[in-house]
Amino acid sequence: AAGMGATLRECINTLPATFTVDLSGLAQFNSAALVLMLDCMRLSTQANKRCQFAGATTALANMLKMASLDELLAGNGVPASS
């Protein structure tokens, strides 16, 4: 897991101040995807950057809601499920 964090940090450092992660191709996912999204947000903040998420499927939005993360990520471009 530490190696993934370092890789993600390196990737974020190469991105512009505000960047968007396209989630539309994420057809299958589990809780690890949520952890990766949260890590992306945390590392972006540490790098003084803003991570936005776009294209979340209804299934992903529902998973975020079940994990009580929909409102946390809604401001980052993930639609809050209704």
Side-chain angles (χ1 to χ4, degrees):
M4 177 60 92
T7 300
L8 185 57
R9 182 178 290 110
E10 289 175 21
C11 180
I12 289 170
N13 286 338
T14 67
L15 297 171
T18 299
F19 63 93
T20 302
V21 178
D22 180 4
L23 302 172
S24 63
L26 194 58
Q28 296 182 7
F29 49 85
N30 58 26
S31 60
L34 302 182
V35 172
L36 186 60
M37 291 170 71
L38 291 171
D39 283 349
C40 188
M41 289 177 53
R42 179 180 54 81
L43 293 171
S44 298
T45 299
Q46 290 175 358
N48 294 317
K49 297 188 180 200
R50 182 162 190 249
C51 172
Q52 299 175 317
F53 298 100
T57 62
T58 300
L60 179 55
N62 287 338
M63 185 174 180
L64 291 168
K65 184 174 184 174
M66 289 186 338
S68 299
L69 295 174
D70 56 329
E71 291 304 317
L72 176 65
L73 298 176
N76 288 293
V78 174
S81 52
S82 46

